[in-house]
Amino acid sequence: MAKGKFKHKPTGERTFSSPEEIAAGTSADRPRTFKKQGENDVYDRRGEPEQEEESEDFAKPKYKGTEGLIEIENPNLVKPKNIKPKDIDIGKTTDMSRREREELEKQQSHERYMKRQEQGKTEQARKDLERLTLIRQQRAEAAKKREEEKAAKEERKAEARK
């Protein structure tokens, strides 16, 4: 087994163009079939003249790798949102996520329930009010009893002094 990440045997040699070949235009890097950039007629593959537009509105995005060849619609792909400051709508409300919406609904329903509870319209509030009235009655009766017992004690003390 070979050690390291480099091959020990060269599989091919590089060829470099000499300055004379570059000046003559016969270098190995550029085939003779390439046209010069100065030509005004631009043809596509079908041989029809293609119109050149250098407008910013119609500029095609540059693709990496095979992105330009294959059109893929990936629902998980997050596209970058380039928003200019002049395009921002200040009055627009942002959409809430599902969790935020559910939490807000939960808080609102709890507030509505507490309002109804204070007004005594819920079943639990009615039961609580009934318990409260029973407790008040029991406390009132107990207070009456204590007063009567206290009055009875005082009468006994008064009789005992005489």
Side-chain angles (χ1 to χ4, degrees):
M1 270 172 104
K3 293 184 181 179
K5 64 179 185 178
F6 297 108
K7 293 181 181 179
H8 296 289
K9 293 183 180 179
T11 56
E13 294 184 19
R14 290 191 187 181
T15 57
F16 297 97
S17 302
S18 67
E20 294 85 25
E21 290 176 337
I22 293 172
T26 59
S27 68
D29 296 332
R30 186 175 149 246
R32 294 180 186 176
T33 58
F34 281 173
K35 295 181 181 178
K36 294 181 182 176
Q37 293 180 356
E39 292 182 342
N40 293 334
D41 296 334
V42 178
Y43 292 94
D44 63 0
R45 290 183 178 177
R46 288 176 257 146
E48 299 171 358
E50 188 177 304
Q51 297 176 357
E52 291 185 29
E53 293 184 21
E54 296 185 12
S55 173
E56 292 179 15
D57 297 336
F58 299 108
K60 294 181 182 178
K62 294 184 179 180
Y63 297 109
K64 293 181 182 177
T66 58
E67 284 182 8
L69 301 175
I70 305 169
E71 290 188 23
I72 300 172
E73 288 195 29
N74 185 354
N76 298 327
L77 180 66
V78 179
K79 296 179 182 175
K81 296 180 180 178
N82 297 331
I83 300 173
K84 296 178 182 175
K86 65 179 181 179
D87 297 337
I88 294 176
D89 187 13
I90 297 172
K92 181 183 174 187
T93 58
T94 57
D95 293 334
M96 294 187 288
S97 67
R98 179 186 56 84
R99 287 183 182 170
E100 291 172 342
R101 248 192 336 269
E102 287 175 357
E103 190 174 327
L104 184 66
E105 289 172 4
K106 186 178 178 182
Q107 287 175 354
Q108 289 174 348
S109 65
H110 183 69
E111 288 173 6
R112 282 194 303 266
Y113 180 78
M114 292 308 287
K115 279 185 182 177
R116 291 184 65 210
Q117 181 96 358
E118 289 173 6
Q119 295 170 356
K121 293 183 179 180
T122 62
E123 195 173 312
Q124 186 176 0
R126 288 186 198 124
K127 289 179 182 178
D128 289 344
L129 290 173
E130 288 175 13
R131 266 190 250 122
L132 282 172
T133 53
L134 281 173
I135 291 170
R136 284 181 185 156
Q137 285 175 357
Q138 290 172 354
R139 287 181 182 170
E141 290 171 4
K144 253 187 193 177
K145 243 185 194 178
R146 272 187 257 125
E147 286 178 18
E148 288 174 5
E149 288 176 5
K150 198 175 189 182
K153 250 187 189 180
E154 286 180 13
E155 283 182 28
R156 286 185 207 145
K157 281 186 182 180
E159 286 178 16
R161 287 185 190 170
K162 287 186 184 177

